[in-house]
């Protein structure tokens, strides 16, 4: 198996090739069910592979080939299926993210190419809707000047199918938070075309955890997303001349980073939301959640300590949804996650990009661990909820999108839709 990563012009992306080779070695070690001592020894082997060009004079291509030899004749789909089908979510989740962190890999292992937000503009001193663009009748984009963040934020609105009052459903995207949002790119208009709900989707929150940050960050600027979502947006969307017809009930949900944020916001503002859903998220800021949060934030070059201070501090704990799960009692709750096992042919769907493929497996395995922990906590508290374990699929929209109607159907009754 060739684990080198090629660009469009056929050149090898040398650094990422070595990183992915080492990650795949770690995957194979855990898949083999080795002991802790054997795993530690093989971690050393993985480091040796990673450092082979410097330490042994081996080319990046040669390092990748050595890693491939360790794995044997097994294709990426099959390897991910071995890991994801173990039946033990803690086992599966330890394969890549934990190994990557232990090996000291940079979060750019999971980085994307999303543009960073604009620099703060001190001339923005008033919060208001600047303009509204209507496309296809019910779909709108609103440009909002938000003074606390000194920037213009675009939100997407998809109005309810009926003319009467409807609930508002706030949808939070993942780490890239592109415009149009992943929700719109993956068929939300069709999924909600007959639904009595107003979709409200902020964009541009790259790597922010949709949170209020303590400090301005050189990369992400000023982040006051929680305040924007919970305070500014409800007021702006209710303005009479442009406002949504609202029945007074709200839901919040998201995917990946947005799933974590949806549950965190819900426990911090329990009076505002009657329904909550999370697809492939992580709901703790402790232990494994710290690793995922750091990788999310630092994947775009930001400093995670600018967000909530040092990991483990009171502010981190205040955003931990699992430890505050009692505040979710009485709400309609939905969770889903995959195992990180690839569907047949999924590697081909990634165009043979081993880097993105490994990242997709790693992130979904990790999300699976976190989601099981939230499910267990809700069970321990005897809080009604639904959790769907998806048997195959990596951390991408082809896994998230089919769960959207299921999540909505589970919470819609609580919202009066």
């Amino acid at each position: 198996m060739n684990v080198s990563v090629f660009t469009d012009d056929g050149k090898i992306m040398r650094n990422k090739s070595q990183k992915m080779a080492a990650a795949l070695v770690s995957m194979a070690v855990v898949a083999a069910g080795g002991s802790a001592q054997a795993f530690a020894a093989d971690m050393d082997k993985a480091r040796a592979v990673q450092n082979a060009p410097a330490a042994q004079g081996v080319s990046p291509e040669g390092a990748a080939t050595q890693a491939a030899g360790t794995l044997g004749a097994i294709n990426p789909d099959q390897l991910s299926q071995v890991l994801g089908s173990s039946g033990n979510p803690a086992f599966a989740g330890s394969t890549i993210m934990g190994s990557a962190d232990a090996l000291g890999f940079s979060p750019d292992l999971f980085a994307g190419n999303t543009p960073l937000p604009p620099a703060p503009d001190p001339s923005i001193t008033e919060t208001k809707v600047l303009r509204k663009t209507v496309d296809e009748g019910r779909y709108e984009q609103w440009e909002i000047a938000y003074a606390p963040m000194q920037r213009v934020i675009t939100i997407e609105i998809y109005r309810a199918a009926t003319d009467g009052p409807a609930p508002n459903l706030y949808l939070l995207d993942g780490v890239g938070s592109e415009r149009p949002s992943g929700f719109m790119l993956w068929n939300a208009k069709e999924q909600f075309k007959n639904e009595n709900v107003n979709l409200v989707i902020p964009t541009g929150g790259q790597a922010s955890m949709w949170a209020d940050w303590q400090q301005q960050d050189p990369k992400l600027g000023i982040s006051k997303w929680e305040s924007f979502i919970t305070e500014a947006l409800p007021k702006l969307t209710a303005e009479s001349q442009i406002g949504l017809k609202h029945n007074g009930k709200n839901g919040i949900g998201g995917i990946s980073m947005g799933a974590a944020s949806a549950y965190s916001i819900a426990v911090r503002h329990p009076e505002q939301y009657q329904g909550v859903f999370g697809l492939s998220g992580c709901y703790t800021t402790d232990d494994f959640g710290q690793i995922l949060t750091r990788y999310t934030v630092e994947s775009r070059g930001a400093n995670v300590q600018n967000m909530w201070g040092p990991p483990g501090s009171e502010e981190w704990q205040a955003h931990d949804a699992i430890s505050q799960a009692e505040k979710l009692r009485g709400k309609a709750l939905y969770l889903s996650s995959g195992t990180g096992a690839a569907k047949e042919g999924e590697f081909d769907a990634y165009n043979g990009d081993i880097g993105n493929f490994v990242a997709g497996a790693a992130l979904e395995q990790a999300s699976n661990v976190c989601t099981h922990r939230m499910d267990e906590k809700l069970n321990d508290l005897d809080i009604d909820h639904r959790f769907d374990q998806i048997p195959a699929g990596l951390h991408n929209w082809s896994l998230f999108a089919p769960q959207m109607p299921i999540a909505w159907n589970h919470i819609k009754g609580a919202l009066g839709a």
Side-chain angles (χ1 to χ4, degrees):
M1 179 182 66
N2 184 357
V3 298
S4 296
V5 180
F6 292 87
T7 62
D8 290 339
D9 62 3
K11 295 179 180 178
I12 294 177
M13 297 172 61
R14 295 176 182 271
N15 291 337
K16 184 165 278 191
S17 178
Q18 295 167 53
K19 292 175 181 178
M20 292 308 165
L24 284 169
V25 168
S26 299
M27 288 171 66
V29 168
V30 180
S35 66
Q37 293 85 354
F39 179 62
D42 280 306
M43 290 275 278
D44 291 337
K45 293 179 184 177
R47 290 190 185 93
V49 170
Q50 183 188 17
N51 298 322
Q56 303 171 19
V58 179
S59 69
E61 298 91 323
T65 300
Q66 289 178 19
T70 302
L71 297 177
I74 182 171
N75 68 44
D77 287 348
Q78 292 167 335
L79 180 56
S80 77
Q81 289 156 15
V82 169
L83 295 170
S85 64
S86 70
N88 184 333
F91 173 84
S94 68
T95 53
I96 308 177
M97 290 298 298
S99 299
D101 187 63
L103 285 164
F105 287 143
S106 167
D108 66 7
L109 183 71
F110 301 95
N113 298 316
T114 309
L116 292 173
D121 180 355
S123 70
I124 298 176
T125 58
E126 182 183 359
T127 296
K128 61 182 178 180
V129 177
L130 299 177
R131 61 189 61 86
K132 179 177 67 173
T133 303
V134 179
D135 178 29
E136 299 178 9
R138 290 167 56 196
Y139 175 72
E140 305 168 5
Q141 290 189 4
W142 297 11
E143 293 182 34
I144 298 173
Y146 186 48
M149 287 173 57
Q150 298 182 1
R151 63 178 281 193
V152 174
I153 298 170
T154 298
I155 68 167
E156 296 177 315
I157 298 288
Y158 192 56
R159 291 180 181 261
T162 60
D163 289 333
N168 291 346
L169 177 60
Y170 295 84
L171 297 178
L172 306 183
D173 213 339
V175 63
S177 187
E178 295 87 353
R179 188 179 70 190
S181 66
F183 301 100
M184 285 300 161
L185 290 173
W186 282 84
N187 216 24
K189 290 180 185 178
E190 181 66 23
Q191 291 174 334
F192 288 87
K193 71 176 181 179
N194 298 318
E195 298 297 325
N196 187 39
V197 61
N198 301 307
L199 304 185
V200 182
I201 311 171
T203 69
Q206 298 95 323
S208 68
M209 298 299 296
W210 298 108
D212 286 3
W213 286 40
Q214 293 180 344
Q215 305 290 334
Q216 180 173 333
D217 186 82
K219 293 290 186 180
L220 300 185
I222 302 171
S223 291
K224 299 293 179 184
W225 286 105
E226 182 179 329
S227 295
F228 179 70
I229 292 163
T230 61
E231 298 172 12
L233 271 184
K235 295 177 182 177
L236 292 169
T237 55
E239 291 182 358
S240 59
Q241 67 270 38
I242 59 174
L244 303 176
K245 294 180 180 179
H246 187 208
N247 72 356
K249 295 186 177 182
N250 301 290
I252 189 168
I255 60 96
S256 190
M257 178 186 82
S261 302
Y263 268 85
S264 176
I265 288 173
V267 298
R268 290 168 59 79
H269 304 270
E271 72 287 349
Q272 287 192 227
Y273 306 100
Q274 290 73 48
V276 189
F277 73 81
L279 312 181
S280 300
C282 191
Y283 309 101
T284 179
T285 60
D286 192 15
D287 187 40
F288 200 53
Q290 283 187 17
I291 296 175
L292 281 174
T293 301
R294 181 171 63 82
Y295 270 70
T296 296
V297 170
E298 295 183 0
S299 71
R300 296 319 189 258
N303 183 343
V304 74
Q305 295 205 33
N306 287 332
M307 184 169 64
W308 300 324
S313 67
E314 288 186 9
E315 195 66 16
W316 278 74
Q317 295 171 27
H319 290 80
D320 189 308
I322 290 182
S323 67
Q324 302 179 75
E326 179 60 39
K327 295 179 181 179
L328 299 170
R329 188 178 299 278
K331 303 182 189 303
L333 306 174
Y334 179 84
L335 298 161
S336 73
S337 62
T339 59
K343 296 173 285 190
E344 289 297 334
E346 192 149 18
F347 187 58
D348 291 338
Y350 276 78
N351 297 316
D353 185 334
I354 193 68
N356 283 333
F357 180 86
V358 170
L363 291 170
E364 195 56 35
Q365 289 169 359
S367 298
N368 195 37
V369 173
C370 287
T371 306
H372 274 269
R373 290 180 181 176
M374 176 58 97
D375 174 55
E376 291 167 2
K377 181 66 172 182
L378 294 172
N379 284 333
D380 289 345
L381 294 174
D382 197 25
I383 294 176
D384 189 41
H385 68 288
R386 174 175 170 177
F387 168 45
D388 286 343
Q389 172 73 81
I390 314 304
L394 305 190
H395 196 78
N396 57 46
W397 271 98
S398 66
L399 176 66
F400 310 147
Q403 299 308 119
M404 283 292 297
I406 300 171
W408 166 240
N409 284 331
H410 184 74
I411 71 170
K412 65 188 291 186
L415 275 60

